Structures are given as C-alpha cells and as structure tokens.
Amino acid sequence: MTRFAPHSNPGRPPLWPGLFVLLCLGTTVGAEPSLNPPDLSALPRSVDETARIATVLSPPTDFSAPEPFEDQPAGAATVPYRGGGKAFSHAAKNLENRLDFELGRALFEKLWIASPSSTQASDGLGPLYNTRSCSGCHIGDGRGHAPDGPDDTDVSFVVKLAVPAAPDARMSAITEYLATAPDPAYGSQIQDFATPGHAPEARIRVRYEPRRVDLIDGTADLRMPQLTLDDLAYGSLADTVLISPRVAPPLLGLGLIEAIPAEDILALADPEDRDGDGISGRANIVWSVEYAQPMLGRFGYKAAEPTVRQQAAAAFQTDLGISTPVFPDPWGDCSPAQTDCRMAPHGDADIRGYEADTTALDLLTLYSANLGVPARRDVDDPQVLRGKELFYQAGCPACHRPKFVTHRLPDQPERSFQLIWPYSDFLLHDMGDGLADSRPEARATGREWRTAPLWGVGLAQRVSDRAGFLHDGRARSLLEAILWHGGEAQTAQSQILTLSAEDRHSLILFLESL
C-alpha cells in the first residue's frame, strides 16, 4: 500500500526579466516563432478591427442589465439549452459538417476490445487501460467525478505519474521548463484495468479528511482527498515519483479555445506581477509532438497540451492504450519494464497501421473541437446580475477573463471571428498549498493550474449529477470549489467569505447561469 502526501512539490524557478515570449523561449530577438497552431490559416487583424475588439472586450461598468451578446457564450456556435443530460453533446450550431461530427461521436462512444479480434476496426485496447471508451470518462461530454470513498468506483478518475528528469534537446528551447519522465515501472499514469492475461497496475483508493471553513454567518464543510495505491502489480514506484489525481474535464468549446490568438493570451501574462495586483499569470509553453516546436499550452488542467488533436491522441495513449499517428506505440503507456505488456498482441498490424489511424483521429478531433456551448440562462435576472457584480467586485475576472475574439479563419467559418465568453485567461496561476499536487507539467509547477473555463459550469451537475469540480473532483459544489482557492486567488476567496448568505446565493446563481 502506497500513500501520498498532497503537498510535496518542486518550487517555482526564478523568473528572468525581459519580453515575455522571449522569456519563455530560448531564442533571439528577430527569431520569435509563432505559438499558434500552424494549421490555423488566420488573417491578420486590421488596425480598425483591433480597436473594435478592444472596445467589445472592455469590462462592464453597468450591472443593471446584461451586456450585448452575453447570452451567446460561443457566438454563432452557441447551441440552445435543451435540458437534461445531453446539454454538452450537441454540435456547434454553425457547424456544417454534421456527418463527420456524428462519425466522430461514434468513435468517441466506441467500446474498444483487446487484440487479437475478428473485429479489427475496434481492437487494440490496452493491454493496460483506464476505460474502454472516451465517453466512459467524459460522462455526457462533461466532467468526471472522484470516488466518494475507498470502496467506490474510480471510473472517470485517473492518477498521473512523473519523476524529475534532465531536459532533453527539445526542451532547451523553453526556459523554466520543469522536465519530467514517466515512472520507470508504471509509466505516466496508473492503469487500473487490464485485458485478459495481464494484471491491472494498482487499485486506486481515495479517502477524505474533513476541513471546515468559517463564513460570516456559519461554516462550510470541505473534503481533502488522501490517495492510496493498493496492490501494486509491477513492483514499487520510484522514490521520487510525483503524483496527481485528475477527473475527466468537460469538452465543450475546445475548438473555439484553440482559435483564440496566442498573442491575446500572452498579453494577459504578468509573471512578475508588475501591476501589483497579486495576480501573476504565466503561459505554459509546451512541446508540440505534431509540429516539433514549442507552442502555447491551452488544454488540460495545467495547459500541457497545445491542440485538441494532441490532447485526443494523448488520451488514446494513456487512458485506452490505443496507438495513433501522434503517439504510435501500440502498447500505450506500458513502461519498458512491463515486457509482457509490450510483447502482447496489438491492433496495429492490419491495414490501419495504427489502432486509431489518421482518419479516426481526425474524426475524433473534429467531434471534440465542435461540441457546442449551451446558451446562458437567466442573464437578465436581477439576482444573477447582482451575482455578476459581486464576481467583478471580488476580482474574479483577473483570472477568469470573460471574453475573447477568435482568429479570422476563412477556411473554418464555424470558429472564425467569434465573440466568445469562456471566463478564463488560459494562464497558469499559483493556487496555494491546498490545491498543490506535486507534479509539474512543462513550465507549470506543482502549485500552478490553468484557470478553468467557466462556460457550462452551471450545467455540469445536470449533465452528470456526480460531476465534481477542481482538478481532482474534491469539490461537490461551486461554493466548495471557490473556498479551495488560495495563492493568487486568496484575496478573492477572502472577499467571498465575508458575503452575506443572500449575496453568496446571488454569486452562485450567476455561476449557475454560465
């Protein structure tokens, strides 16, 4: 039985002075590479467009009425809210290629099976895995949940692993990069299921220690997860292993996030807190496996993936043990020490070449990128508007940046030049000891997390009544999630603690309207 302390993590390295992008990249002035996805054929903005966008993105000063287009969080891609558990499962309203979207949905919901099999289009699972389908973790295309206790199922909940390592040649291009490697015995993630003839790596158990927080008019009960890995089947973990429990994140609006100009996100970074507001967001600059270059990280709890396609391929590899053109190893996350796993039959020996070939990965990417964001509800309700005002007064938009305008993309009209409301700056922030997980990713330290987008957050528990909040699902409600905020968010959290019950209710109603 192996237990893990939640707060042992490497410290943040000292920051360099100078221009932010050049600080992130080991390059010289005049050789600055683009951090945008290279496959986005974006048109440059005119001076007039830039000025108009600045006006549209300016913060509100009047909270007596909603802002223009506030009820359409994904612009023309916004879908009507139809209620029930399928709120996140509809195609973006302006998507024309519905046939490929539905083919992508079929792949998302496919139950993969072990090799060898007569059903070759579906074989290749594992041999070690966490789930048999993408939808097994992303319940209703939304959030996963943490186990309620040591004997509860851990489906949609995984444990990431890493050990400190020396940077390789690729990473010398990214300053402040915190290099890690997979655990020598268990790889980069604990797989708690296995195909016949193989042993699952471990049994994941979670217990909770109660925490109580004082409010101005009472108390709130939180729970601190304590993780245990029982029945380790392949020896001991490395003494230096760093671990991070994670629940599956929601998938709505990913293609629009990818279409935000990297320079607009970078412009929000203030790594040295030069404006003195206590907020020092940093961009995570990560390595693109597809394009063999540094790119802006946008996806995942620590913004460790640069594109929807790479994120999908990484999940295929670690969660299902399925090979793709991006991550071609047919044994998935099996370590070199797991020789039986690597030598087992795999599903890449037929005409596909990979267990999920280029066509399959492209279809799954299209599906994941074009899941629609539901329209907001009750935007003109007086209590919702009061909650919005309290959200601004507490300083929440310093990280949960409400609005962006996407690239102008002539070949991708469904996500071109849209005013969107994700409520995130997509930067890394130190969230304090309470949320520290010990496992760095690229430039993100063990205390830093990407600001979670808030669009759709009010529907999370309508899609799945067990959906949890924060990276490990510990928060059972939006108020619990707020109360776990520390570090750079401590000032905002402290203001929430002083709110009356009526104002807290208004704040939650605002969040539930998103």
Side-chain angles (χ1 to χ4, degrees), residues 21 27 199 205 225 248 294 337 363 416 431 498 508:
V21 174
T27 185
R205 292 180 182 268
L363 288 170
S416 175
M431 295 298 291
T498 67
I508 297 302

PDB file of all heavy atoms in Angstrom, residues 21 27 199 205 225 248 294 337 363 416 431 498 508:
ATOM      1  N   VAL A  21       7.506  36.534 -24.272  1.00  0.00           N
ATOM      2  CA  VAL A  21       7.671  35.402 -25.183  1.00  0.00           C
ATOM      3  C   VAL A  21       9.131  34.982 -25.253  1.00  0.00           C
ATOM      4  O   VAL A  21       9.460  33.803 -25.286  1.00  0.00           O
ATOM      5  CB  VAL A  21       7.135  35.748 -26.586  1.00  0.00           C
ATOM      6  CG1 VAL A  21       7.434  34.635 -27.561  1.00  0.00           C
ATOM      7  CG2 VAL A  21       5.635  35.984 -26.527  1.00  0.00           C
ATOM      8  N   THR A  27      15.340  31.754 -27.526  1.00  0.00           N
ATOM      9  CA  THR A  27      15.526  32.223 -28.889  1.00  0.00           C
ATOM     10  C   THR A  27      16.069  33.644 -28.846  1.00  0.00           C
ATOM     11  O   THR A  27      16.190  34.239 -27.788  1.00  0.00           O
ATOM     12  CB  THR A  27      14.187  32.164 -29.662  1.00  0.00           C
ATOM     13  OG1 THR A  27      14.411  32.518 -31.029  1.00  0.00           O
ATOM     14  CG2 THR A  27      13.161  33.135 -29.072  1.00  0.00           C
ATOM     15  N   ALA A 199      -2.155  -8.022 -15.495  1.00  0.00           N
ATOM     16  CA  ALA A 199      -2.626  -7.542 -14.194  1.00  0.00           C
ATOM     17  C   ALA A 199      -2.795  -6.030 -14.226  1.00  0.00           C
ATOM     18  O   ALA A 199      -1.908  -5.313 -14.720  1.00  0.00           O
ATOM     19  CB  ALA A 199      -1.632  -7.915 -13.101  1.00  0.00           C
ATOM     20  N   ARG A 205      -7.520   4.044  -4.384  1.00  0.00           N
ATOM     21  CA  ARG A 205      -8.455   4.301  -3.285  1.00  0.00           C
ATOM     22  C   ARG A 205      -8.314   5.758  -2.834  1.00  0.00           C
ATOM     23  O   ARG A 205      -7.198   6.289  -2.769  1.00  0.00           O
ATOM     24  CB  ARG A 205      -8.185   3.375  -2.093  1.00  0.00           C
ATOM     25  CG  ARG A 205      -8.493   1.901  -2.358  1.00  0.00           C
ATOM     26  CD  ARG A 205      -8.202   1.077  -1.117  1.00  0.00           C
ATOM     27  NE  ARG A 205      -8.425  -0.342  -1.308  1.00  0.00           N
ATOM     28  CZ  ARG A 205      -9.573  -0.956  -1.055  1.00  0.00           C
ATOM     29  NH1 ARG A 205     -10.600  -0.254  -0.615  1.00  0.00           N
ATOM     30  NH2 ARG A 205      -9.712  -2.250  -1.247  1.00  0.00           N
ATOM     31  N   PRO A 225      -8.803  15.191  -0.270  1.00  0.00           N
ATOM     32  CA  PRO A 225      -8.579  13.803  -0.678  1.00  0.00           C
ATOM     33  C   PRO A 225      -7.224  13.275  -0.224  1.00  0.00           C
ATOM     34  O   PRO A 225      -6.222  13.990  -0.242  1.00  0.00           O
ATOM     35  CB  PRO A 225      -8.660  13.866  -2.203  1.00  0.00           C
ATOM     36  CG  PRO A 225      -8.339  15.279  -2.549  1.00  0.00           C
ATOM     37  CD  PRO A 225      -8.807  16.123  -1.408  1.00  0.00           C
ATOM     38  N   ALA A 248     -11.888  13.598 -15.306  1.00  0.00           N
ATOM     39  CA  ALA A 248     -12.020  13.976 -16.706  1.00  0.00           C
ATOM     40  C   ALA A 248     -12.622  15.372 -16.810  1.00  0.00           C
ATOM     41  O   ALA A 248     -13.621  15.670 -16.157  1.00  0.00           O
ATOM     42  CB  ALA A 248     -12.899  12.972 -17.434  1.00  0.00           C
ATOM     43  N   PRO A 294       7.958  24.429 -29.984  1.00  0.00           N
ATOM     44  CA  PRO A 294       7.215  24.943 -28.824  1.00  0.00           C
ATOM     45  C   PRO A 294       5.932  25.617 -29.265  1.00  0.00           C
ATOM     46  O   PRO A 294       5.876  26.280 -30.304  1.00  0.00           O
ATOM     47  CB  PRO A 294       8.184  25.953 -28.195  1.00  0.00           C
ATOM     48  CG  PRO A 294       9.525  25.634 -28.774  1.00  0.00           C
ATOM     49  CD  PRO A 294       9.259  25.094 -30.145  1.00  0.00           C
ATOM     50  N   ALA A 337       9.779  -1.664 -18.494  1.00  0.00           N
ATOM     51  CA  ALA A 337       9.858  -2.767 -17.536  1.00  0.00           C
ATOM     52  C   ALA A 337       8.682  -3.728 -17.664  1.00  0.00           C
ATOM     53  O   ALA A 337       8.750  -4.866 -17.197  1.00  0.00           O
ATOM     54  CB  ALA A 337       9.908  -2.210 -16.111  1.00  0.00           C
ATOM     55  N   LEU A 363     -11.443  12.449 -37.196  1.00  0.00           N
ATOM     56  CA  LEU A 363     -12.873  12.485 -36.892  1.00  0.00           C
ATOM     57  C   LEU A 363     -13.115  12.754 -35.408  1.00  0.00           C
ATOM     58  O   LEU A 363     -13.999  13.543 -35.043  1.00  0.00           O
ATOM     59  CB  LEU A 363     -13.535  11.167 -37.301  1.00  0.00           C
ATOM     60  CG  LEU A 363     -13.679  10.929 -38.802  1.00  0.00           C
ATOM     61  CD1 LEU A 363     -14.106   9.495 -39.069  1.00  0.00           C
ATOM     62  CD2 LEU A 363     -14.683  11.900 -39.422  1.00  0.00           C
ATOM     63  N   SER A 416     -14.593  31.137 -36.766  1.00  0.00           N
ATOM     64  CA  SER A 416     -13.918  32.330 -37.243  1.00  0.00           C
ATOM     65  C   SER A 416     -14.554  33.595 -36.691  1.00  0.00           C
ATOM     66  O   SER A 416     -15.773  33.800 -36.787  1.00  0.00           O
ATOM     67  CB  SER A 416     -13.956  32.371 -38.773  1.00  0.00           C
ATOM     68  OG  SER A 416     -13.403  33.580 -39.262  1.00  0.00           O
ATOM     69  N   MET A 431      -2.145  28.441  -7.022  1.00  0.00           N
ATOM     70  CA  MET A 431      -3.421  28.345  -6.315  1.00  0.00           C
ATOM     71  C   MET A 431      -3.261  27.938  -4.859  1.00  0.00           C
ATOM     72  O   MET A 431      -4.239  27.605  -4.194  1.00  0.00           O
ATOM     73  CB  MET A 431      -4.339  27.358  -7.040  1.00  0.00           C
ATOM     74  CG  MET A 431      -4.743  27.834  -8.432  1.00  0.00           C
ATOM     75  SD  MET A 431      -5.682  29.381  -8.387  1.00  0.00           S
ATOM     76  CE  MET A 431      -7.191  28.818  -7.629  1.00  0.00           C
ATOM     77  N   THR A 498     -16.737  36.900   3.297  1.00  0.00           N
ATOM     78  CA  THR A 498     -17.422  37.974   4.021  1.00  0.00           C
ATOM     79  C   THR A 498     -18.818  38.262   3.474  1.00  0.00           C
ATOM     80  O   THR A 498     -19.516  39.111   4.021  1.00  0.00           O
ATOM     81  CB  THR A 498     -16.593  39.269   3.962  1.00  0.00           C
ATOM     82  OG1 THR A 498     -16.552  39.754   2.609  1.00  0.00           O
ATOM     83  CG2 THR A 498     -15.176  39.027   4.466  1.00  0.00           C
ATOM     84  N   ILE A 508     -23.645  32.447  -6.638  1.00  0.00           N
ATOM     85  CA  ILE A 508     -23.792  31.090  -7.157  1.00  0.00           C
ATOM     86  C   ILE A 508     -24.807  31.062  -8.300  1.00  0.00           C
ATOM     87  O   ILE A 508     -24.618  30.358  -9.303  1.00  0.00           O
ATOM     88  CB  ILE A 508     -24.207  30.120  -6.033  1.00  0.00           C
ATOM     89  CG1 ILE A 508     -23.093  30.049  -4.968  1.00  0.00           C
ATOM     90  CG2 ILE A 508     -24.485  28.732  -6.594  1.00  0.00           C
ATOM     91  CD1 ILE A 508     -21.733  29.619  -5.491  1.00  0.00           C
TER      92      ILE A 508
END
